[in-house]
Amino acid sequence: MYSSLTRATRPPVALAAAAQLPRQWLPRAFLATSTRMSAPSTAPETNCNIDQATLGAFWMPFTANKAFKRSPRILAKAKGMHYWTEDGHKVLDGTAGLWCVNAGHCNERIVSAIQKQAAALDFAPTFNMGHPLAFEYAHRLCQELMPGKGLDQVFFTMCGSTAVDTALKVALAYHKARGEGSRFRLIGRERAYHGVGFGGISVGGMLPNRRAFGPMLPGVDHLRTTYDREHQAFSKGQPEWGAHLAEDLERLVGLHDASTIAAVIVEPVSGSAGVLVPPYGYLKRLREICDAHGILLIFDEVITAFGRLGKGMGAEYFGVIPDMVTCAKGLTNAAVPAGATFVQKHVYDTFMGATPGDGIELFHGYTYSGHPLAMAAGLATLDVYQDEGLFERAAALAPYWEETLHALKGHPHVVDIRNLGLMGAVELVPRAGKPGQRAFQVFTTALHKGVMVRVTGETIALSPPLIVEKGQIDQIVTTLSQALHEVA
């Protein structure tokens, strides 16, 4: 798979390492040897052929609508690792869309599967009915993604937000079915992102996502964030410092009493908050505390599942098995919207045993649960992951990704760099009184140079498709380097 990457074409960080340059020289050496990876020519300020009247109708999500519509950034097509704008400008995708196109854009096997399914069965309800692909995909996911770990049931949803709300509802109903209806509290974590449903924003810990929407769900509390720049800045992979932060759950148990707590939900790696990587031992200790107090543990793996960390799930990577896992994004390679909530057998069996006769065990679901097109896309996506060895490929590329990304240490405005698997973040110092402005300018500057990155607050977040080549990793980081030098 990597045979074409000869010594002559090794990227700049590999060359610097081979020369055993001092660490503090690495960024300069990186720039000096990266001329072959110079970024594409600058794109025009706007590439939009859509008239203003048409632009006005779409209320865009998580977007400064007025600013965007003054200077739109419009993508027209995609293939593999690239997007193209309406005027033909080629843009390298450094973010897998929104953390989701893990197998690359417009994969022919996935496209063909969707097209064939649309012609054969466009929709079928899964309320008291079914269709073959939903059962087949659920079975394969449980058998192949993380076999032998008890995550033997899957509930299909529409997206990550609905997968999270499903998990929270299952947690509450599970304890009630066990005769412990007093367990109504849900514990999230500061700086967490769990989608935009009321359940997700309640357990989430990102202020802008919460402040306009009232008091949230009752009975919710939050663990401290795992991130502390003073102790963790420029960690490669998991920080050594911070496992003790899991003990904050014991504080909440002492405050509320374990008999009132239904579940704890965390992202194994917090993506939208800026790739906040858990300290060594943190997740293991959370699992132990949950077990000691009868609390369910939910992993939100909407980003980390399907190869982002080189494994089927982040749970496998960290060696910590939760009671439920939520996922979406890579579930269908984002070709058709879908989400899923994996559930441990003991949770599912509790519902089956608590319901008398042939009654409905869970009054919950969505019109599009197990949608035929999503299931066709998912099955084809799973085949692509396996046949092309994309999870293993991500694991093999991770060390190179880490070294290349950390070459940006010492660049203007950079105060931290974080990474795990094929996730990365470059955090910047904000401009006084203008939070987020500098990072957003780096985003637009990189885009004009032909690389799409993601901006979240003061952080540039990166998550390329798992098909990324080493030379494309070089291009992403070289372009970021140029943008950081250009942005004041």
Side-chain angles (χ1 to χ4, degrees), residues 403-431:
E403 288 303 314
T404 308
L405 188 62
H406 277 268
L408 294 173
K409 184 178 180 180
H411 275 55
H413 320 303
V414 173
V415 295
D416 195 12
I417 297 171
R418 301 180 288 274
N419 71 281
L420 198 68
L422 288 185
M423 301 174 71
V426 180
E427 186 167 345
L428 310 180
V429 61
R431 288 175 178 154

Side-chain angles (χ1 to χ4, degrees), residues 70-92:
R70 285 195 301 270
S71 182
R73 297 172 291 277
I74 305 296
L75 302 171
K77 67 176 184 177
K79 183 67 177 177
M81 281 293 301
H82 292 89
Y83 284 107
W84 282 262
T85 64
E86 284 189 314
D87 57 357
H89 185 63
K90 188 176 181 180
V91 178
L92 180 64

Side-chain angles (χ1 to χ4, degrees), residues 112-124 131-133 371-373 376:
S112 176
I114 296 168
Q115 290 172 334
K116 289 178 181 178
Q117 185 59 42
L121 179 65
D122 57 348
F123 176 79
H131 65 91
L133 295 191
H371 192 284
L373 270 63

Side-chain angles (χ1 to χ4, degrees), residues 42-67:
T42 300
E45 283 299 314
T46 180
N47 62 336
C48 184
N49 296 320
I50 306 171
D51 62 68
Q52 283 295 316
T54 303
L55 280 172
F58 179 24
W59 191 346
M60 300 173 67
F62 284 105
T63 298
N65 278 251
K66 297 190 298 292

Side-chain angles (χ1 to χ4, degrees), residues 56 64 97 117 126 143 153 173 200-201 278 325-326 366 428-429 445 460 484:
Q117 185 59 42
T126 54
Q143 293 297 311
Q153 314 295 148
I201 62 174
V325 173
T326 65
Y366 303 95
L428 310 180
V429 61
T445 301
I460 301 298
L484 287 166

